[in-house]
Amino acid sequence: VDTHIRGDCYRTLFIGRLSDCTTEDTLANLFSAYGTIERLRLVRCTVTGESKRYAFVEYKHHSDCTRALSVGISL
């Protein structure tokens, strides 16, 4: 078990195949429509700072995560 991992897997969405232009603000604006976001992380290269084109969105409530998942958002 990795002790550095934070969050609840039942309230977290994995978002993949993102555009290079996608930012944290873009994701927050889109996914906050489905509920309160507890934590959002756009994964970036530690050397260059460029997006690795995937992210994690953790909602405050499981029901918000389920709602966002059921919509089938496309970026």
Side-chain angles (χ1 to χ4, degrees):
V1 175
D2 188 341
T3 58
H4 293 95
I5 296 174
R6 299 182 340 197
D8 181 341
C9 64
Y10 295 104
R11 296 183 293 134
T12 304
L13 293 178
F14 168 80
I15 313 300
R17 302 181 72 189
L18 295 171
S19 164
D20 289 333
C21 301
T22 302
T23 66
E24 287 87 347
D25 288 338
T26 305
L27 293 169
N29 288 335
L30 182 63
F31 286 94
S32 64
Y34 303 98
T36 304
I37 296 174
E38 183 96 0
R39 188 177 300 120
L40 186 147
R41 179 172 176 231
L42 176 62
V43 179
R44 298 184 176 275
C45 175
T46 57
V47 175
T48 65
E50 293 180 17
S51 171
K52 288 196 170 187
R53 301 180 63 188
Y54 67 95
F56 298 94
V57 177
E58 182 182 354
Y59 285 96
K60 186 171 184 175
H61 303 285
H62 176 264
S63 58
D64 298 337
C65 182
T66 302
R67 187 177 318 115
L69 184 62
S70 70
V71 172
I73 300 166
S74 179
L75 297 173

